[in-house]
Amino acid sequence: MVESPLPGAPPLPGETAAKIRAALAAQGPAYRPRTRHVAGDAPKYTNRLILESSPYLQQHAHNPVNWYAWGDEAFDDARRLGRPVLVSIGYATCHWCHVMEHESFEDEEIARAMNEQYVAVKVDREERPDVDAIYMSAVQQLTGSGGWPLNVFLTSDREPFFGGTYFPPRDGARGARHGWLTVLREIRAQYDGDRLRVAGAAGALTKAVREHLAAAPTPAGAPLPSAQSIEATVQHFKRAFDPVHGGVRRAPKFPSNLPVRLLLRYWRRTGDADALHMARFTLRKMAAGGMYDQLGGGFHRYSTDERWLAPHFEKMLYDNALLAVAYAEAHQATGAPEFARVTREVLDYVLREMTSPEGGFYSATDADSEGVEGKFFVWSAAEIRELLGAEAERFMRHYDVREGGNWDGYNILNVPAPDEAEWAALAGARAKLLATRARRPPPLRDDKVLASWNGLMISAMAVGGRVLGEPRWIEAGVRAASFVLDRMRHEGRLLRSFRDGRARLNAYLDDYAFLGQGLLDLYEATFDPRWLREAVALADAVEARYADREHGGWFMTSDDHEKLLAREKPNYDGAEPSGSSVQLLDVLRLHELTSDDRFRQVAERALRSFAPPLAERPVALTEMLLALDWFTDAPREVVLAWPAATEPPETLLAVLRRTFLPNRVLAGAAEGPPLEALAKIVPLVESKRTRGGRPTAYVCVKGACELPTADPAVFEAQLKKVTPYPAR
C-alpha cells in the first residue's frame, strides 16, 4: 500500500501519494501485483511507476525502490538533494532485466541503499529510444560493450560518469567480485569524495557520446557512394559465413547478423551462387532450429548457441516482421515451398496472438513463464508420448525429442532433417501439442502498440499477402494502418506508443520511416491511393521536422523534441534497421512513384551524408545497402491498367507474385476516373490504358516503357531483365 514507506526514502509528496492511491485502487479486485512483497493480495510497496502506461515501468511499480519515470522531477530532486542519479533502462520482455529486478530491485536492503543514496529513474527503451541511445553509447565508451538492463550513473545535469549492464546483487554472486550493493556504495563514495573528478569524467564522456551519435559532416563535393560498398559487404560475409549451421560463425546468433535480403539482391544482379546459398541455407537452418517456434510459428529473438537450437525465448514483433519479409522474398527468388510456409506461419501467429481487437500489433512476449525461462515452450519425452500415443515415435524422430532432453533436461522442438512431406503428415500431432501448450500459463505479453514496429508488420502483412495471394494478411495490414493513422496522431503529428486507450510520446524518425514503408507496401498490395497519399505526407513531415538541412540525412528526434545531451543521427543498423536506412529507401521509392524531384534531391543529400560510413564500415549499414542497391539499379516502374468496374487482373498479379524484383514500384487502377485520379499522384500512369479491352502491363525505366502487354509470359520476361552493378 502507498502508506508503507519505501525503505530509506522520504515520504512521497501528498499530491503524488494521492495519485498513486487512486491508480492502485483503479486496478480492481483482480489485480495481482508483480512483487514478492505482498500482504494477502495487496502490495506492501507502491512507487510512482504505477502512474505510467509502459508495461515495463509498471512491472517495477511495486519494487521497494523509490523509482521515478524519466523527467524533470527526478533531476530537480537530485539537484535539491545533492545526489547522483541512477538511470536503469530495459524493456518488458528482457530476461536479464527480470533477473536483476528479482535479485536487486526487489531486495529491501539494496532498495534502501538506492533510496538513501540516489535518485533512481526507470526508462523503457522501447518508448524512449533516444534516452537509451545516449546512455548506451556512454556505457559502450566505458566498457566496450552494452546490453540490457543498462544501468548508468549521472550527474543532476544528466551527464553520465559510470555505468554497466547487469550486476549481480552482492559480492561473490554469480562469481562477480563486486555486486550491485558494493557498486552503489563505492560510486556514491567517489561522487561525494571528489566532485571535480566526477565532473571531469562526466564532461569527457558526454563529449565522446555527442561525437559518437552525431555523424561527422560530409566534406563539400563528396561523391555519392558506389556499389563497391555492397561488394565489400558481401565479401565480408563470405569470409564470416558458417558453412555448417548458416549465419555467421559465432554464438549467440541473431537473425540480423547475416543480411539475407541484401544477399538475395546481390545474387539477382550478379548471379553469384555463393550469395544465394548463404541466404537460402541460413533461412533453412533458422526455420529448422529451436529459435523458430515449431508449433505456433514465429521466431524467438536469438539463439544462444551456434546451431540455432537454444533460443532466448522472448518473441519480438520487429524480428517477426523483418523475417516474414525475408522469407517471402526468398520464396520469390527460389520457389522453395518451405519459405512460403514459414511466412504463412509467422503471419498467422501474429494474427492469432499479437493483434489487438482494434487492429494494432502488440510489441512482444516474454522469455519467462512461471518464473522460468522457456518453460512455456519446452517438452519432456513422457509428455509427448502421453499426448500422441502411436504417433509419438514419428513425431519425436522428426522434432529431435530425446528421452533425456536436448536442453536442460527438456526438449526444444527442432528439425535436424527438414522434410516438407513429413511436416504435412504431422499436422495433427502439432495441433494436439499446441492445444495442450495453450493451457499452460503463458509468458507475459507487452501489449503496447508502437508506431514503428507496426509499420514493419504492416509491411510484412502487405508483402506476404501480395506474394502469397492471401487477402487476410492484407486486410490485417489495412486495419493496423488505419489504427495507427486514426488513433496515434495528435494535431496531424504521429505519436510513438499506444496503450490503455491513449497514444503518447513524440514519434521518432523510425516511427515515420517504418510506417511510411508499410504504407508504400500496402499501396502496392491494395492499389488504394489513400496509403500512397499518407506515405507522401509522412515523408513531408520528416523533411519538415527531422531533416539535417545542413548536411543531409535525418536526426532521430524532431526539431522541437526534448533537449537531451545529444541529438542522434542514426547511422547503424542493428536488430532493427535504422530510421535513416528505411527513410532513404522510402524517398527513393517515392521519387519513382511521384516523379517529384524533391525526393531525388533528398535521397542524394542523404546518400552523400552517409557516404563515409558506407565506405568505411558498410557492414554496419546493411539495411542502408538495400537503398544503395536500389540507387545503383535501374528500378522498374510497373503500371497495371484494367477495364473499368473490374478487379485487378489475377493473371498479371500472379506474375508479380512469383518474380523477385525488389527494385521496382507498382501502380495500377481501373480505367476511367480511378486511373485519372491516380495520375494526379503518380504521373507515370498518365496515358496508360488497356489494350484491346484486356488488362495491360507497362514496364518502364525512367519513363521509357517497353511495349505494353496483356501476355503474362511477355510481362514476366520484361520484369526479369537485370541491370548489373555499374563498373567501378
Side-chain angles (χ1 to χ4, degrees):
M1 298 174 61
V2 174
E3 287 72 23
S4 297
L6 299 166
L12 292 165
E15 184 178 354
T16 300
K19 288 180 180 178
I20 291 174
R21 279 194 295 271
L24 187 57
Q27 300 298 325
Y31 180 64
R32 294 295 179 266
R34 190 176 179 277
T35 179
R36 63 175 179 260
H37 303 291
V38 292
D41 291 332
K44 181 178 179 182
Y45 303 113
T46 304
N47 58 57
R48 290 171 175 83
L49 298 188
I50 200 169
L51 305 175
E52 301 300 314
S53 65
S54 157
Y56 177 61
L57 298 188
Q58 288 189 352
Q59 286 175 5
H60 292 265
H62 301 296
N63 295 163
V65 177
N66 185 26
W67 291 117
Y68 292 68
W70 178 271
D72 291 340
E73 180 189 15
F75 292 95
D76 290 345
D77 282 358
R79 197 171 293 110
R80 176 176 57 80
L81 295 169
R83 293 183 181 181
V85 176
L86 166 63
V87 174
S88 183
I89 303 173
Y91 56 99
T93 58
C94 166
H95 173 70
W96 285 100
C97 300
H98 299 335
V99 172
M100 190 162 181
E101 177 191 17
H102 176 77
E103 292 177 344
S104 293
F105 303 148
E106 282 279 282
D107 183 295
E108 290 174 309
E109 180 188 15
I110 293 176
R112 177 177 294 277
M114 293 172 67
N115 296 340
E116 289 177 344
Q117 300 177 67
Y118 297 90
V119 170
V121 176
K122 258 288 168 205
V123 175
D124 182 340
R125 69 168 296 264
E126 294 170 356
E127 287 199 335
R128 292 303 304 259
D130 52 340
V131 173
D132 179 57
I134 288 169
Y135 298 111
M136 180 64 74
S137 174
V139 169
Q140 288 171 336
Q141 302 277 343
L142 285 168
T143 68
S145 63
W148 300 278
L150 186 70
N151 294 289
V152 194
F153 296 84
L154 318 182
T155 69
S156 58
D157 292 327
R158 311 189 191 205
E159 294 187 343
F161 61 91
F162 181 76
T165 55
Y166 163 78
F167 291 88
R170 290 176 172 79
D171 298 354
R174 298 185 186 270
R177 182 180 175 189
H178 290 146
W180 183 237
L181 190 58
T182 297
V183 169
L184 292 171
R185 291 167 176 163
E186 290 184 351
I187 294 299
R188 183 59 196 265
Q190 292 176 19
Y191 182 84
D192 291 339
D194 196 342
R195 293 287 179 93
L196 286 177
R197 183 179 177 186
V198 168
L205 188 53
T206 298
K207 181 174 182 289
V209 167
R210 286 174 175 151
E211 291 174 352
H212 177 243
L213 294 181
T218 306
L224 289 164
S226 73
Q228 189 172 353
S229 295
I230 298 172
E231 175 72 27
T233 301
V234 171
Q235 296 308 316
H236 166 84
F237 284 108
K238 285 183 178 182
R239 295 188 295 271
F241 182 66
D242 181 342
V244 177
H245 303 295
V248 295
R249 292 189 301 272
R250 57 164 289 177
K253 281 187 172 177
F254 289 80
S256 58
N257 288 152
L258 189 81
V260 165
R261 296 178 67 207
L262 178 67
L263 293 172
L264 291 174
R265 283 155 175 75
Y266 184 81
W267 162 76
R268 186 186 74 88
R269 294 180 67 184
T270 65
D272 187 311
D274 289 339
L276 178 61
H277 169 71
M278 288 193 294
R280 183 167 49 195
F281 188 70
T282 298
L283 291 173
R284 282 178 171 157
K285 286 293 189 179
M286 285 197 301
M291 196 185 77
Y292 184 64
D293 182 351
Q294 302 293 337
L295 293 182
F299 286 89
H300 300 292
R301 185 160 177 253
Y302 65 88
S303 174
T304 60
D305 61 11
E306 76 283 352
R307 58 193 182 103
W308 308 106
L309 170 65
H312 184 50
F313 286 91
E314 67 189 273
K315 288 183 179 178
M316 311 301 294
L317 186 71
Y318 64 82
D319 281 326
N320 284 285
L322 295 166
L323 285 165
V325 173
Y327 277 87
E329 289 189 347
H331 173 65
Q332 284 185 308
T334 68
E338 65 265 38
F339 296 156
R341 171 178 62 80
V342 172
T343 304
R344 290 189 186 98
E345 291 175 345
V346 169
L347 296 181
D348 282 344
Y349 147 71
V350 172
L351 291 186
R352 185 180 67 246
E353 299 183 28
M354 299 297 288
T355 305
S356 75
E358 301 98 329
F361 300 118
Y362 298 134
S363 292
T365 53
D366 210 330
D368 301 3
S369 56
E370 301 180 82
V372 179
E373 183 176 12
K375 185 173 182 178
F376 182 76
F377 297 99
V378 298
W379 300 87
S380 70
E383 285 178 289
I384 290 175
R385 289 186 191 282
E386 181 180 352
L387 287 165
L388 299 185
E391 276 188 297
E393 290 299 331
R394 185 177 185 180
F395 184 93
M396 291 167 68
R397 281 195 304 273
H398 186 69
Y399 286 106
D400 188 33
V401 176
R402 307 173 190 179
E403 294 298 338
N406 58 27
W407 180 77
D408 283 358
Y410 289 90
N411 288 282
I412 299 172
L413 301 184
N414 70 104
V415 185
D419 181 327
E420 287 299 290
E422 192 69 357
W423 171 85
L426 291 168
R430 286 195 305 276
K432 289 178 185 177
L433 265 63
L434 185 61
T436 298
R437 193 178 81 175
R439 294 191 288 271
R440 296 174 176 175
L444 174 145
R445 182 172 61 196
D446 182 342
D447 61 358
K448 69 177 180 291
V449 174
L450 294 177
S452 61
W453 295 3
N454 270 248
L456 293 177
M457 188 52 73
I458 290 165
S459 281
M461 292 290 175
V463 171
R466 183 179 58 76
V467 170
L468 298 178
E470 179 49 78
R472 292 183 304 115
W473 304 331
I474 296 172
E475 178 55 31
V478 167
R479 290 187 68 220
S482 298
F483 175 83
V484 174
L485 293 172
D486 295 345
R487 304 290 301 279
M488 297 181 67
R489 287 196 288 194
H490 178 66
E491 297 180 350
R493 295 183 63 176
L494 193 62
L495 298 177
R496 170 73 172 178
S497 181
F498 183 97
R499 189 170 186 259
D500 293 337
R502 184 168 67 96
R504 59 193 296 271
L505 301 172
N506 293 339
Y508 299 92
L509 172 63
D510 59 344
D511 295 301
Y512 279 92
F514 296 1
L515 182 59
Q517 173 186 264
L519 297 181
L520 288 172
D521 290 329
L522 201 55
Y523 168 70
E524 294 187 338
T526 63
F527 297 114
D528 182 344
R530 175 195 177 187
W531 310 122
L532 181 53
R533 288 193 296 268
E534 293 282 13
V536 170
L538 290 176
D540 288 342
V542 170
E543 292 313 305
R545 292 285 187 179
Y546 296 80
D548 181 348
R549 296 182 182 85
E550 185 177 358
H551 302 295
W554 306 275
F555 294 105
M556 183 184 199
T557 55
S558 61
D559 55 5
D560 59 350
H561 191 77
E562 173 190 353
K563 296 297 183 277
L564 300 172
L565 290 187
R567 190 181 182 199
E568 183 185 8
K569 189 173 178 182
N571 65 352
Y572 177 84
D573 294 319
E576 299 172 57
S578 70
S580 299
S581 296
V582 175
Q583 185 65 18
L584 177 54
L585 188 50
D586 285 353
V587 294
L588 287 167
R589 293 172 71 182
L590 284 169
H591 174 243
E592 293 292 338
L593 277 165
T594 68
S595 303
D596 188 334
D597 200 54
R598 289 182 307 129
F599 292 124
R600 179 194 61 79
Q601 294 173 18
V602 166
E604 290 193 0
R605 280 171 52 79
L607 280 164
R608 284 195 167 89
S609 173
F610 292 109
L614 283 171
E616 296 161 11
R617 48 179 181 84
V619 171
L621 280 166
T622 54
E623 292 287 331
M624 190 172 285
L625 293 178
L626 303 186
L628 185 59
D629 183 68
W630 176 294
F631 184 74
T632 59
D633 201 352
R636 302 305 192 265
E637 301 154 353
V638 181
V639 177
L640 303 183
W642 55 91
T646 65
E647 294 298 312
E650 177 60 28
T651 54
L652 300 178
L653 292 177
V655 173
L656 287 164
R657 285 190 196 113
R658 63 176 178 260
T659 304
F660 180 55
L661 182 63
N663 298 340
R664 60 106 188 93
V665 292
L666 173 62
E671 279 189 311
L675 200 59
E676 293 164 8
L678 182 61
K680 296 176 182 178
I681 315 170
V682 185
L684 64 93
V685 309
E686 195 168 1
S687 77
K688 306 293 191 298
R689 298 291 182 267
T690 62
R691 295 299 175 98
R694 299 173 64 193
T696 303
Y698 295 78
V699 179
C700 315
V701 176
K702 298 189 184 304
C705 301
E706 305 230 21
L707 290 174
T709 184
D711 185 333
V714 174
F715 181 40
E716 187 164 9
Q718 292 175 348
L719 293 177
K720 286 189 172 179
K721 293 181 180 178
V722 173
T723 304
Y725 288 113
R728 296 180 189 175

